[in-house]
Amino acid sequence: MSAIELRQVSKAYGDLAVIDALDLSVEGGSFVSIIGPSGCGKTTLLRVLAGLEPATSGQLSVDNRPPEEARRRKRVAMVPQQPGLLPWRTVRANARLLLDVNRAANPVDALTPELLLAEVGLGDFGAMYPHELSGGMAQRVALVRALALHSPLLVMDEPFAALDEITRSEMRHLLNRLVEGKAVTVLFVTHSITEAVALSDRVLVTSARPAQVVADITIDLPRPRSVDVEDDPRFFELCADVRHALHRGNGTTATGGGA
Amino acid sequence: MKHRVLAPIVGILCFLGAWELLVQLNDVRPFVLRAPSRVVDNLFSYPGTYAEAAWVTLQHAYFGAALGLAGALLLAAPMAASRFVEHAVHPVLTLVQVTPFVAYIASVVLWLGPGTRPAVFIVGLVCLPAFAFAAVDGMRSADPAARELLASVDASRWEVLWRLRLPSALPSLFTSARYNVGLALIAAYLVEGGNYANEGLGAIGKKAALFPSTRDAADALWAAIFAMAILGTVTLLVLSVAQRALMRWHVSQRPQLR
């Protein structure tokens, strides 16, 4: 059973085609990154999968349900680009936010936010307010907020894009540690080749708008992945593969576009 | 921190001192301007009378403002959610805001009867527009990332309002509350002058104004004005304390870099 299944999914705003006849199948428990040029419709794809807007045409299922139903049942957890923490809530209360609303749909096996906070190194910061946190800490709270739902699908939209390089590298290893060996399926949108390769089982390279998958690269680096994985010669080869695919993808649409 | 307490006291004492000097040196007629020393003297000669009247005025202003705030929130929730509702309600609120309420006090007293009810109603009406505009702005300013997030788990409208939109509106609501303090007290004072209840600082002021030439009347009028000033100052202080307690998380409540 695939965690995500898209068949000929299109999304248009008026005449503007953002996603065009996209086929995609993501196996449960895998980590899939989507990398592509800015404005190619990646965020739109995530919003469609999260049930926040309907597709214009095509068939899609998330966790074997229509996305709208998955959303109502809290089966999709989002980590946005901006942490979106509520400034009047403490770290602890922010970590609980998604459990505090639509409670009827809370899973019986929801995780305890306090334990997750401790796991990401924020155990002593529960009583602090967001303005007292660094960018990396705030994004870790956002990660805990999503993980606490214990939903089968985690959808992340460039969550580390606003962080500095050192923090980003820490965050990728934290994320690997948190999701490795768990049943969660992750769909991760990024602009960073390093990030995509370090985290993923599969990297999907997309073209400029309308979004099409131009390459599907399997990342065969062993798990669990330590920090050292980024020194592995295979890591560099895979980064180069993704980079070439990105260039090819853009070249193709640059000449083939104009429609 | 020290000068935050000291500076306002120095400022007010200088103002009162200059006033006192002006009256003493120029021998101004009592109804035109009373020396602060005489006003304070009068206030302390009849403390019970003024305290009782101030208590009535305070209740009119506070209950009225609470009514206005409640009405504003009830209007603001659909206004923030729908542009159509906003565009429909906005002009009505503007009308309320720009119409001189003094002119229809008598009508409202006829309608609601003498006493507390017309006072609370008019104070509420006067506070309504500023509270409503502030609430709509504040609710609209809610973080889009947080809104998206709540939508992604199918939070209800009520949950979004309570957990996100209302707290987002707190800063602008406090700003409008500071503006409404003066309006609420003045409205309470003016209604008390015309609601046939003979209660509150407004009634004292009204009676004094009927006999402008007597010294007692001048004393009473200026004592009422001073009592109003004290009510206003105390209310602003209460607001500051409430704001500090409810909005510790907000930029405006944190130490400023200079």
Side-chain angles (χ1 to χ4, degrees):
Chain A
M1 276 291 180
S2 303
I4 302 172
E5 194 73 60
L6 278 81
R7 226 166 284 148
Q8 295 292 299
V9 168
S10 299
K11 176 74 187 173
Y13 297 98
D15 291 337
L16 183 72
V18 181
I19 301 168
D20 188 30
L22 188 68
D23 286 311
L24 175 64
S25 175
V26 173
E27 195 189 331
S30 63
F31 195 121
V32 175
S33 287
I34 301 177
I35 189 166
S38 285
C40 76
K42 302 185 295 282
T43 297
T44 307
L45 176 62
L46 290 193
R47 290 179 49 91
V48 168
L49 284 172
L52 291 169
E53 35 187 329
T56 313
S57 64
Q59 289 184 320
L60 65 162
S61 72
V62 167
D63 189 38
N64 299 313
R65 301 175 166 86
E68 173 57 23
E69 193 195 322
R71 181 176 79 95
R72 280 201 304 274
R73 291 169 171 249
K74 294 176 120 172
R75 304 296 280 175
V76 183
M78 278 181 74
V79 181
Q81 183 170 353
Q82 298 301 323
L85 301 181
L86 302 182
W88 51 87
R89 284 185 161 233
T90 58
V91 164
R92 199 176 292 122
N94 264 296
R96 296 197 45 82
L97 177 70
L98 297 183
L99 293 170
D100 282 347
V101 296
N102 187 11
R103 287 184 201 202
N106 277 354
V108 283
D109 57 352
L111 301 175
T112 316
E114 275 80 1
L115 292 179
L116 284 168
L117 282 174
E119 204 174 338
V120 302
L122 290 176
D124 297 332
F125 296 88
M128 287 181 105
Y129 284 88
H131 71 262
E132 298 168 299
L133 306 178
S134 69
M137 290 160 89
Q139 202 51 271
R140 273 185 275 169
V141 178
L143 198 57
V144 168
R145 183 182 57 195
L147 289 172
L149 279 181
H150 211 199
S151 56
L153 181 62
L154 193 59
V155 167
M156 306 176 84
D157 190 2
E158 301 186 45
F160 310 145
L163 305 176
D164 62 83
E165 190 50 46
I166 298 167
T167 313
R168 288 182 81 132
S169 142
E170 284 171 8
M171 291 297 288
R172 339 190 234 281
H173 300 298
L174 175 68
L175 183 56
N176 259 339
R177 194 154 57 74
L178 286 171
V179 299
E180 265 173 353
K182 308 244 167 76
V184 65
T185 311
V186 188
L187 201 63
F188 188 90
V189 163
T190 181
H191 274 132
S192 158
I193 295 171
T194 322
E195 210 164 86
V197 174
L199 286 166
S200 309
D201 301 309
R202 250 169 98 193
V203 175
L204 303 175
V205 180
T206 60
S207 62
R209 202 177 56 226
Q212 274 292 337
V213 176
V214 292
D216 185 344
I217 298 165
T218 302
I219 307 298
D220 50 8
L221 294 166
R223 286 195 186 271
R225 289 181 194 165
S226 67
V227 188
D228 299 333
V229 80
E230 293 181 25
D231 298 325
D232 193 319
R234 182 71 191 134
F235 179 83
F236 292 109
E237 283 171 31
L238 287 163
C239 285
D241 287 352
V242 173
R243 192 166 54 246
H244 296 152
L246 261 171
H247 290 168
R248 264 201 320 277
N250 287 320
T252 313
T253 43
T255 50
Chain B
M1 192 58 218
K2 208 161 110 193
H3 59 251
R4 287 189 56 178
V5 180
L6 196 64
I9 294 175
V10 169
I12 287 177
L13 285 180
C14 285
F15 172 69
L16 291 177
W19 176 351
E20 183 83 32
L21 267 176
L22 184 80
V23 174
Q24 300 282 358
L25 292 179
N26 296 309
D27 200 20
V28 182
R29 275 179 300 150
F31 215 83
V32 173
L33 197 61
R34 210 78 173 125
S37 58
R38 294 240 6 196
V39 180
V40 172
D41 189 44
N42 183 258
L43 267 179
F44 283 103
S45 306
Y46 308 99
T49 313
Y50 290 113
E52 215 171 285
W55 176 238
V56 170
T57 305
L58 189 82
Q59 291 181 69
H60 287 163
Y62 281 29
F63 286 133
L67 180 72
L69 178 62
L73 293 179
L74 283 178
L75 285 176
M79 281 170 83
S82 148
R83 290 275 172 192
F84 185 87
V85 176
E86 190 197 3
H87 290 152
V89 178
H90 204 284
V92 180
L93 287 174
T94 307
L95 277 182
V96 172
Q97 196 171 31
V98 300
T99 318
F101 65 90
V102 184
Y104 50 79
I105 288 177
S107 309
V108 174
V109 172
L110 273 177
W111 170 41
L112 291 175
T116 301
R117 285 200 295 176
V120 170
F121 177 81
I122 289 192
V123 171
L125 196 65
V126 163
C127 293
L128 181 72
F131 274 143
F133 294 144
V136 172
D137 277 355
M139 288 178 180
R140 283 254 167 82
S141 73
D143 182 0
R147 258 187 292 174
E148 181 102 337
L149 204 65
L150 289 180
S152 78
V153 289
D154 200 34
S156 68
R157 272 169 176 256
W158 168 248
E159 284 170 329
V160 174
L161 183 70
W162 178 245
R163 305 250 182 218
L164 178 63
R165 288 190 183 272
L166 218 48
S168 300
L170 267 185
S172 58
L173 279 175
F174 268 108
T175 309
S176 65
R178 297 188 153 270
Y179 165 81
N180 270 343
V181 166
L183 272 179
L185 284 169
I186 290 167
Y189 182 93
L190 288 172
V191 178
E192 284 158 5
N195 67 349
Y196 308 107
N198 198 19
E199 280 186 322
L201 293 170
I204 293 178
K206 176 81 171 182
K207 243 188 299 177
L210 290 175
F211 310 100
S213 50
T214 65
R215 274 189 174 263
D216 281 354
D219 276 335
L221 176 72
W222 282 98
I225 294 173
F226 261 53
M228 288 293 290
I230 293 167
L231 282 187
T233 312
V234 169
T235 307
L236 287 173
L237 260 169
V238 169
L239 270 181
S240 292
V241 172
Q243 190 168 15
R244 195 148 307 168
L246 285 170
M247 282 173 45
R248 265 173 308 157
W249 49 273
H250 195 255
V251 201
S252 66
Q253 303 304 307
R254 304 207 285 264
Q256 301 288 309
L257 297 173
R258 293 254 162 130

